[in-house]
Amino acid sequence: MKKSFRFLLCLVALSYSTLASCQKQAVIDQAEVTRIITTLASDEMEGRMIYTPGIEKASAFIESEFEKIGLEHLEGLNSYRQEFNMYSLTNESTSVSINGESIKGENVIGMINSESMTIDDVASTNIIVVGEGDNMQAKFGQARNMKGKTLMLVNNAHGSLFRRFRGFFSRPSSVMELDEANGMVMVLTDVSEVKSLKVEVKNTLETKRLNNVAGQITGNRPNEIVLFSAHYDHLGIRGDGEDKIYNGANDDASGTTAVMTLAKYFKDTGKKPERTIMFVAFTAEESGGFGSRYFSQKLNPDEIVAMFNIEMIGTAAKEGTNSAWITGFDKSNFGELLQKAVEGTEYKFYADPYPIQNLFYRSDNATLARLGVPAHSISTTQIDVDPYYHQASDEVSTIDLDHMTNTIRALAAAAVRMISGQDTPTRVDPANVR
Ligand SMILES: [Zn+2]
């Protein structure tokens, strides 16, 4: 007979505390799961887009839940908010003259991550010429990686691709750090030799704030961390359909709910864990992964023993309910350890069945994996056929709450030996992560 999760979790709780705490407190309760995901994915949260009142509400809700649970703040912080600045840049003007002749505005693209840049010294400027027969994309890739100020002269033969680039790079951009030293200007011209040069790029600069929400239970080994994460941002309000709110119930209110209920569960076991358990709701995953990037700069990644990044666990996987898949399965033995931990139960973990989709690189785990952390995303969505993925219809009504609750219970069980220090996943080799 297969053990049920309730039984397994009681055993887990026993190893932490008393039977009483197991029976009364340390449970992952489906009503709680339902309450949290329903709140996060409600229309009131307006799809949790960065820089909107909706995501502020979501942050405040997660903070208040962390407070109720009794999590500690991260070292150096006096709240659960891990805040950082973002710079929003919008091109105001780009003027270019080459060899004394000024170029029409529609034929220039200014790409700088600062408020302004002047380029007027030919000798110290990287000049890249894209001739008629050259591959513009490839040359662009090279030019973007060059240090300093770069001028790219694009032959008129590439006019249509140039205009697509111009459309893309004319949009406002968000960066975490301003960069005055490096920048690039593209010009559509048949000129390929530069004797004199005068370039002025101006942006309007707006400083904005973003925040992750983070808390922890400090263990006996404070510098060994088991991390549970998910992103709480989503796509906001867009389009002109009848339902404009992208509630993001599965993506990723489901993962955020898991992080919150796991926090409560491990806190309720009542005993100090061996390793520190950290719980983070990342911001801005959908807009460039800025939340996890900032987080990764604020601690020593060598201290993170394992990262459970939980992404879209609200609907049953291809292999059925009671199963979840793990991205980057062969990059560490994290997945194998999870499989072993739930052996004999009705739950199964298996390797990501959609390698072609590069999902290992499409969430916040990749940022930490690049630093050597066994950082994997755990998901149950059938991503190739999911009709709700990145649609306004990703609502709580589409969520299988039995399956989701079971998955959170399985994650709790699967993490126990890592939290107790009995299991330590092998590190990811950054050379195997692009
Ligand atoms: Zn997501």
Side-chain angles (χ1 to χ4, degrees):
M1 212 182 108
K2 303 205 168 193
K3 284 179 243 166
S4 83
F5 269 110
R6 191 163 291 271
F7 175 64
L8 193 69
L9 290 180
C10 276
L11 287 179
V12 168
L14 268 174
S15 69
Y16 281 96
S17 186
T18 63
L19 184 63
S21 85
C22 159
Q23 286 168 336
K24 281 193 189 145
Q25 295 174 317
V27 289
I28 287 156
D29 177 32
Q30 186 157 330
E32 245 327 69
V33 168
T34 307
R35 175 184 71 87
I36 294 172
I37 192 170
T38 305
T39 306
L40 286 170
S42 68
D43 281 355
E44 213 186 307
M45 303 273 174
E46 297 171 335
R48 309 185 302 279
M49 178 70 177
I50 56 166
Y51 310 137
T52 66
I55 198 167
E56 274 303 319
K57 281 185 198 164
S59 175
F61 171 65
I62 302 165
E63 290 166 54
S64 71
E65 294 290 313
F66 278 9
E67 181 85 56
K68 268 201 290 189
I69 293 165
L71 293 185
E72 299 151 53
H73 300 147
L74 264 51
E75 207 185 313
L77 295 181
N78 52 18
S79 81
Y80 298 112
R81 294 168 73 92
Q82 186 182 49
E83 290 189 285
F84 55 98
N85 277 341
M86 287 294 296
Y87 302 100
S88 174
L89 295 160
T90 310
N91 185 256
E92 204 177 282
S93 65
T94 303
S95 70
V96 178
S97 77
I98 300 173
N99 303 336
E101 275 201 44
S102 88
I103 311 275
K104 272 198 215 159
E106 67 198 49
N107 292 336
V108 300
I109 311 172
M111 287 176 268
I112 61 167
N113 289 336
S114 58
E115 211 168 353
S116 67
M117 182 169 280
T118 303
I119 313 177
D120 53 12
D121 176 31
V122 178
S124 64
T125 304
N126 309 308
I127 300 197
I128 307 288
V129 178
V130 183
E132 200 179 336
D134 289 338
N135 180 335
M136 177 175 156
Q137 295 268 24
K139 287 240 171 178
F140 175 77
Q142 286 165 14
R144 282 290 262 186
N145 289 327
M146 294 182 102
K147 292 270 164 246
K149 298 174 180 178
T150 302
L151 175 71
M152 187 162 147
L153 302 171
V154 180
N155 186 280
N156 276 299
H158 302 284
S160 67
L161 184 54
F162 182 91
R163 279 182 284 279
R164 290 221 306 274
F165 269 64
R166 190 161 191 279
F168 184 81
F169 286 104
S170 302
R171 291 187 218 149
S173 62
S174 274
V175 293
M176 278 174 77
E177 287 114 25
L178 294 177
D179 179 358
E180 319 253 313
N182 303 294
M184 178 153 117
V185 172
M186 285 171 77
V187 179
L188 187 67
T189 176
D190 288 343
V191 173
S192 57
E193 221 175 301
V194 181
K195 294 189 189 79
S196 70
L197 178 65
K198 178 85 183 153
V199 175
E200 290 283 356
V201 189
K202 284 199 169 61
N203 280 334
T204 47
L205 170 70
E206 217 185 320
T207 306
K208 296 181 173 182
R209 300 285 277 173
L210 286 177
N211 72 281
N212 299 321
V213 187
Q216 69 178 45
I217 307 168
T218 306
N220 293 323
R221 306 184 207 169
N223 299 330
E224 295 181 24
I225 299 163
V226 175
L227 170 64
F228 293 95
S229 67
H231 67 93
Y232 75 100
D233 70 304
H234 193 59
L235 303 172
I237 300 174
R238 49 169 74 179
D240 48 13
E242 206 174 300
D243 181 7
K244 297 185 193 59
I245 303 178
Y246 285 58
N247 302 82
N250 199 12
D251 187 14
D252 189 21
S254 69
T256 308
T257 301
V259 169
M260 293 161 76
T261 47
L262 286 164
K264 178 166 166 47
Y265 170 74
F266 285 116
K267 183 70 188 172
D268 285 353
T269 56
K271 200 184 152 197
K272 191 172 186 177
E274 186 59 24
R275 284 177 166 147
T276 291
I277 322 174
M278 199 176 273
F279 305 92
V280 185
F282 289 125
T283 186
E285 189 270 353
E286 305 279 12
S287 319
F290 298 114
S292 54
R293 205 179 330 149
Y294 183 77
F295 172 84
S296 73
Q297 293 165 0
K298 287 286 130 185
L299 44 57
N300 177 358
D302 297 345
E303 294 183 354
I304 304 177
V305 169
M307 176 184 191
F308 292 72
N309 186 54
I310 310 165
E311 264 274 17
M312 303 177 76
I313 55 163
T315 53
K318 195 154 82 173
E319 307 268 308
T321 58
N322 289 324
S323 71
W325 44 266
I326 297 163
T327 64
F329 196 89
D330 53 4
K331 294 196 190 298
S332 81
N333 71 348
F334 173 90
E336 278 169 51
L337 292 174
L338 262 56
Q339 286 178 328
K340 240 188 3 200
V342 297
E343 231 166 64
T345 75
E346 58 196 352
Y347 209 93
K348 291 253 173 308
F349 288 104
Y350 60 104
D352 169 13
Y354 313 102
I356 197 164
Q357 300 239 17
N358 282 319
L359 296 165
F360 182 74
Y361 295 99
R362 282 170 52 188
S363 190
D364 291 310
N365 63 289
T367 303
L368 281 293
R370 286 188 191 99
L371 303 170
V373 178
H376 302 262
S377 288
I378 296 141
S379 180
T380 69
T381 179
Q382 298 184 41
I383 190 98
D384 56 340
V385 293
D386 185 344
Y388 313 116
Y389 177 64
H390 281 197
Q391 301 296 325
S393 54
D394 179 4
E395 311 230 22
V396 173
S397 56
T398 70
I399 300 294
D400 178 344
L401 290 156
D402 291 337
H403 158 77
M404 181 172 151
T405 306
N406 252 348
T407 297
I408 302 172
R409 289 176 182 154
L411 288 169
V416 164
R417 288 176 59 88
M418 292 186 200
I419 292 169
S420 68
Q422 290 161 281
D423 281 347
T424 302
T426 54
R427 307 295 291 174
V428 165
D429 179 356
N432 294 334
V433 184
R434 56 178 162 78

